[in-house]
Amino acid sequence: MKKHIPSIQAAVVLISLITLVFCSTTTEAQVQYQPYSYQFYQKLNDSAYSTKTRFHTSIKPFLLDDSVLTAKYKSLMSYGVDTLNHHSWVHRKLFDEHLIDIKKPDYTFFADYLPDLVIGREFKESRTTWLNTRGYQVGGTVGKKFYFYSSGFENQGVFANYMDTYTNQTGTVQGQAYDRTYGTKRTKDWSYVTALISYTPVKYLNIAAGHDKNFIGDGYRSMLLSDYSSPYSFLKLTGNLGNVSYMVMWSYMQDPSSPKLSYEVGNRKKWGVFHYLDWNVTNRLSLGFFDSVIWADSDDQGHKRGFDFTYGNPIIFLRPVEASNGSPDNAMIGFNGKYKLSDQMTAYGQFALDEFEASNFFSNKGSSRNKYGWQIGIRGADVFNVKRLNYLVEYNGAKPYTYSQATSIINYAQQNEPLAHPWGANFKEIVGLLNYSYKRFDFSGQVNYGHYGLDANGLNWGKDLFKSYLTPARFDGNPADFGTRSAATTSGNFIGQGVTTNMYYAEGKVAYLLNPKYNLRLEIGGLYRRETNSLFKENTTMLSIGLRSSFRSLYNDIASYKLR
């Protein structure tokens, strides 16, 4: 990229924030952390997206110390809890309480056992699918400044055919961890662990360190940073000063697809730094500015670079620093915005700019050097004045080769999966979601249509983030000359090129909530997925039933990673 966002606003905000930190000594409210999942967070819509507040909605997970959310959150965590009658210990633990729940003036602690037991049937393949998960969550506070949380899951399962194919091709169970069977067995085996320590020295600043996921945006997907890939280690500072919220995060990630330097070293590692400035201009309008830089822990010859302290400065957007270094690092900038049309409707959008060629950016010639993604959506709560009826309609897309780099070690991915939209690049998608809660019942429905292009015959058509963007299918020159040749040699690249593929997806679920404290529920679900192109057609129809718990996100609406 050759352009950057001015950093004066961010600098002023953070300098003011640091001043306040050292001038203040107390924090007013106890901070609580809620793991992010769209299905739970959409229940906060009527509070988070009210036109009467200026709550910062685009930085997730939320820190639930804001009065805007605390009342709604507490009502969700205690919904249906019977405090009037004296029930047995078993009844209370099954329906009302944490398994262990200690509340003292100076500290709190809770712990739960999290079962996730599902059995289903994929009809076309005559395959019985199942999931056997034993999990835990623990959390608590020390005083009013420290919060800690951890969850862990030991899993075995048999997936539908398309999920099985995805896992075998990526080596990763979608969004969770690497497959310990390495694709050699139908029954997959993996672990999923998160952990976080949060410290709020003053009400203006939160410091969090952990191994988890993060999300930036107001939609179901994010073109900037999503919760799709496996958890990664990070250190995050989030400052709030009235109408401005500023986040800086440093992360440490893995790239199993890059050739290993040695058996002892293991998977190649990469670093990332992310900045996001969110400005609530009014109660209705919010503008957000994003940037990121990804760099390799060591080069292909094994020369160790480690953490680059030039990226340790939390105040400025880093594109100028990356450019002044003359480095080959992967820099990206982005924008996030929303406008609350009413209490029941919010319009939002994103734009991610990975790289652009100024002479062809507006020419519509399809230059492979113009790499960007976008999002436009509408979401709302209490639609048609029906309480707890929430909806979302969203359009996403990314040009071919977006998020890819010269080598995969610095691409925009973690553990063989995208850090932004789960479909990578070279795609367009429309998604609609509807959620309704009635007493202890939850009803959810989803429909997707996707249009994308897959690679074939060894050519790189731009969907696979782990292939070099220096060798696009329509460029027959020397990769060393990429960017120095005339624009015509890299033109003609449009969404859907390669093996043009269409996907239709529909899913519905009905759940009965047993215990809101750890989201224990009985759930019945149905799924239909059809993926078709000139080389293969795949239809999936499934039914499943299970006893489920936890707040982790599990995505079934994935597109093919590559050809069969």
Side-chain angles (χ1 to χ4, degrees), residues 209-225:
H211 184 77
D212 205 343
K213 303 181 180 187
N214 295 272
F215 189 98
I216 292 177
D218 291 285
Y220 174 63
R221 311 288 200 189
S222 176
M223 307 305 293
L224 304 178
L225 181 65

Side-chain angles (χ1 to χ4, degrees), residues 362-382:
F362 298 103
S363 66
N364 200 32
K365 292 182 179 179
S367 170
S368 62
R369 295 187 62 206
N370 286 324
K371 299 158 37 181
Y372 57 87
W374 66 89
Q375 177 184 90
I376 300 173
I378 294 177
R379 66 180 301 162
D382 302 341

Side-chain angles (χ1 to χ4, degrees), residues 193-196 208-214 229-236 249-254 269-274 414 419:
V193 178
T194 70
L196 180 123
H211 184 77
D212 205 343
K213 303 181 180 187
N214 295 272
S229 66
S230 304
Y232 46 87
S233 300
F234 64 87
L235 171 65
K236 180 168 66 174
M249 180 176 71
W250 299 272
S251 65
Y252 189 56
M253 300 172 286
Q254 297 195 49
K269 308 297 192 299
K270 62 172 75 173
W271 295 86
V273 59
F274 307 85
Q414 137 72 2
L419 278 168

